[in-house]
Amino acid sequence: MKRFLIIVLFPLFITACQSGGNASKPPIPAACDLLPTSLLGEILREPVKKPTPTNAGLQEISACTYTLPGRGREDYLGIYVFSPAPTRDMLSLKTVADDWRDINAGAKYEIQDNAQYPMAWFPGENKVYPSTFIILYDRATIVITGVSLDDSKSIAFRAMVQYKLDESF
């Protein structure tokens, strides 16, 4: 009887182990589907409306802009999903941030202190370029524009947890 159970259950165990690895990492959705609009409104503590897929022409996988009705017409939340950087280190972060700087009027940025997640922050300049947050994950590079540093981090880390964007999570 024990031998019979081993013969029947062992293949099922192997199959379960193999399929479990694929199911543990949900696919990364398009930027407009990364987080629900209602959750973005909770994070920002203001209305967030009209997710609109965009193409910034920056070789992003996807991008989305949201209107922020409580602000001026030119103010918006932007979320960009890029392929992961070749390595997740300060050199790759500097390369990504320098590219972003070059398309934003030579904007100055600050490297954020965090040993686990390479991050850069552009404070923004009214009517010149929006505030911009960049974070490198194992499975994607996320760029968030138009909101504060703390709100950007909240959005990025919620997406990381939900879609397991970091291998160690």
Side-chain angles (χ1 to χ4, degrees):
M1 182 68 165
K2 286 182 185 179
R3 190 177 288 180
F4 175 75
L5 286 175
I6 290 173
I7 292 171
V8 170
L9 294 178
F10 186 72
L12 293 174
F13 174 74
I14 296 298
T15 303
C17 289
Q18 289 173 344
S19 66
N22 296 335
S24 66
K25 293 180 191 157
I28 301 169
C32 287
D33 299 323
L34 206 55
L35 294 175
T37 304
S38 60
L39 179 57
L40 293 171
E42 288 176 27
I43 292 169
L44 299 179
R45 297 160 310 283
E46 66 179 292
V48 176
K49 305 277 184 192
K50 298 182 184 174
T52 306
T54 58
N55 182 356
L58 303 173
Q59 299 177 344
E60 70 272 6
I61 295 171
S62 65
C64 189
T65 57
Y66 298 82
T67 60
L68 302 171
R71 299 186 190 191
R73 271 187 161 174
E74 296 174 8
D75 293 329
Y76 64 90
L77 164 64
I79 299 177
Y80 303 82
V81 178
F82 292 90
S83 296
T87 56
R88 205 177 79 179
D89 58 16
M90 286 303 148
L91 182 59
S92 288
L93 176 63
K94 186 169 175 8
T95 300
V96 172
D98 286 349
D99 288 345
W100 202 266
R101 177 198 62 208
D102 294 344
I103 61 171
N104 283 294
K108 297 199 182 329
Y109 63 89
E110 309 156 359
I111 300 295
Q112 298 294 294
D113 292 328
N114 188 310
Q116 191 170 1
Y117 304 102
M119 299 181 284
W121 169 247
F122 293 77
E125 188 174 324
N126 192 26
K127 303 211 188 259
V128 178
Y129 67 93
S131 60
T132 302
F133 175 72
I134 300 169
I135 188 163
L136 307 183
Y137 290 124
D138 291 321
R139 295 182 57 212
T141 295
I142 304 292
V143 177
I144 300 168
T145 65
V147 296
S148 74
L149 176 60
D150 288 341
D151 291 341
S152 295
K153 285 181 180 179
S154 292
I155 293 167
F157 283 104
R158 294 256 184 131
M160 184 223 18
V161 170
Q162 186 165 346
Y163 297 103
K164 299 182 180 173
L165 299 177
D166 183 67
E167 297 295 328
S168 65
F169 198 81

